[in-house]
């Protein structure tokens, strides 16, 4: 499978911005996704970006894509305690929409 | 309706039992997926169904048997499981399996399986 890497932990204070990073290996990926998983729950799609874009903004979320470096980031503005969760980036293999997930970044938001 | 539902929420079974996990979506999606997620790990793909036909089996042991009786339903039949099969089993669906616009996968809440 493809190699998708993320740092394991991030801790921020409430109200600060959080930046979660992801690197991937498949240069043919068309779409890249960010999912959020709260304890004991399934994965909730947050946003995705098309590979010909370098930025996408959706309310408090900003996704940046550096296709040359195969680097994806998710910025959460004004982070809240409810944002505490594990965040997974994923890239999809072309033909069968096989998703390869990163290891997940556990975001801890301190009040 | 943008929801994927899974039943049961929790399942405890012995190694000689036969049980089934169920997944349902009513979004008109034609691709459905089973993932296995161990604690503190990312989901790992098990099976992909496209238009009710099995497209991908990621070398999953035969004690896991998927079934797609119609475009809205996906089952995972379990038989003679091992304790190491204990995990969260996630079902997902997407419009189809090609790289069409978005084609994000929508996930259900999962079934927490414990094998004793």
């Amino acid at each position: 499978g493809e190699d998708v890497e993320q740092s394991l932990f991030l801790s921020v204070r409430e109200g600060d911005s959080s930046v979660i990073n992801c690197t991937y290996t498949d240069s043919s990926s068309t779409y890249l996704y960010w999912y959020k998983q709260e304890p004991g729950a399934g994965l909730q799609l947050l946003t995705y970006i098309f590979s010909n874009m370098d930025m996408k903004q959706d309310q408090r979320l900003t996704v940046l894509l550096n296709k040359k470096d195969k680097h994806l980031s998710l910025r959460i503005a004004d982070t809240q305690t409810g944002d505490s969760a594990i965040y997974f980036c994923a890239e999809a293999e072309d033909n069968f929409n096989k998703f390869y997930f990163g290891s997940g970044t556990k975001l801890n938001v301190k009040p | 309706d943008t929801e994927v539902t899974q039943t049961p929420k929790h399942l405890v079974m012995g190694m000689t039992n036969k049980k089934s996990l169920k997944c349902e979506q009513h979004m008109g999606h034609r691709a459905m997926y089973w993932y296995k997620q161990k604690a503190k790990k990312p989901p790992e793909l098990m099976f992909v169904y496209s238009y009710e036909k099995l497209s991908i089996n990621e070398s999953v042991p035969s004690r896991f048997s998927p079934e797609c009786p119609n475009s809205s339903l996906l089952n995972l039949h379990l038989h003679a499981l091992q304790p190491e099969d204990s995990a969260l089993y996630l079902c997902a669906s997407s419009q189809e399996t090609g790289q069409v616009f978005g084609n994000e996968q929508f996930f259900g809440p999962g079934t927490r399986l414990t094998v004793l």
Side-chain angles (χ1 to χ4, degrees):
Chain A
E2 304 302 332
D3 211 5
V4 183
E5 294 191 358
Q6 298 178 238
S7 51
L8 292 182
F9 299 103
L10 177 65
S11 185
V12 300
R13 293 213 170 273
E14 194 172 21
D16 287 350
S17 291
S18 309
V19 179
I20 302 170
N21 295 302
C22 172
T23 56
Y24 61 97
T25 56
D26 184 1
S27 55
S28 66
S29 293
T30 310
Y31 292 97
L32 296 137
Y33 304 83
W34 282 103
Y35 282 86
K36 175 184 179 183
Q37 187 175 34
E38 297 186 36
L43 276 72
Q44 175 196 351
L45 177 71
L46 291 177
T47 187
Y48 62 87
I49 189 166
F50 187 40
S51 60
N52 72 352
M53 298 168 66
D54 49 23
M55 187 181 98
K56 180 179 180 185
Q57 187 153 5
D58 185 358
Q59 299 183 333
R60 290 190 299 124
L61 305 179
T62 303
V63 179
L64 294 177
L65 175 61
N66 181 329
K67 205 172 174 186
K68 175 173 159 288
D69 294 339
K70 299 194 188 74
H71 183 264
L72 181 73
S73 68
L74 173 71
R75 179 176 178 269
I76 306 173
D78 188 25
T79 313
Q80 303 296 305
T81 53
D83 295 325
S84 292
I86 299 177
Y87 290 79
F88 291 98
C89 63
E91 59 168 353
E93 185 185 89
D94 267 339
N95 292 331
F96 290 101
N97 208 31
K98 286 172 65 170
F99 273 31
Y100 294 99
F101 286 90
S103 52
T105 298
K106 186 170 182 181
L107 174 64
N108 179 41
V109 182
K110 294 179 278 191
Chain B
D1 184 4
T2 57
E3 201 179 54
V4 176
T5 58
Q6 289 187 244
T7 54
K9 208 168 174 178
H10 300 276
L11 178 62
V12 179
M13 59 187 289
M15 290 191 283
T16 57
N17 292 156
K18 278 187 185 181
K19 297 284 184 186
S20 296
L21 309 185
K22 294 186 185 307
C23 174
E24 192 165 0
Q25 56 88 15
H26 294 287
M27 295 179 275
H29 288 170
R30 304 313 298 267
M32 295 186 79
Y33 311 79
W34 279 116
Y35 288 85
K36 174 181 176 180
Q37 187 180 25
K38 300 283 272 183
K40 297 185 182 177
K41 296 287 184 189
E44 290 178 356
L45 183 66
M46 298 173 74
F47 302 105
V48 179
Y49 271 84
S50 177
Y51 290 82
E52 294 120 70
K53 291 199 178 346
L54 183 64
S55 297
I56 293 179
N57 175 342
E58 292 282 278
S59 304
V60 179
S62 59
R63 57 186 185 270
F64 295 91
S65 174
E67 179 199 17
C68 191
N70 61 55
S71 59
S72 300
L73 291 173
L74 185 66
N75 298 322
L76 186 63
H77 303 297
L78 314 172
H79 174 54
L81 294 196
Q82 305 296 311
E84 60 264 28
D85 297 321
S86 298
L88 181 69
Y89 287 84
L90 294 162
C91 171
S93 71
S94 67
Q95 279 185 354
E96 53 180 273
T97 53
Q99 284 276 294
V100 296
F101 180 77
N103 211 18
E104 56 268 40
Q105 293 185 18
F106 292 86
F107 282 80
T111 294
R112 176 78 57 192
L113 174 68
T114 303
V115 183
L116 300 176

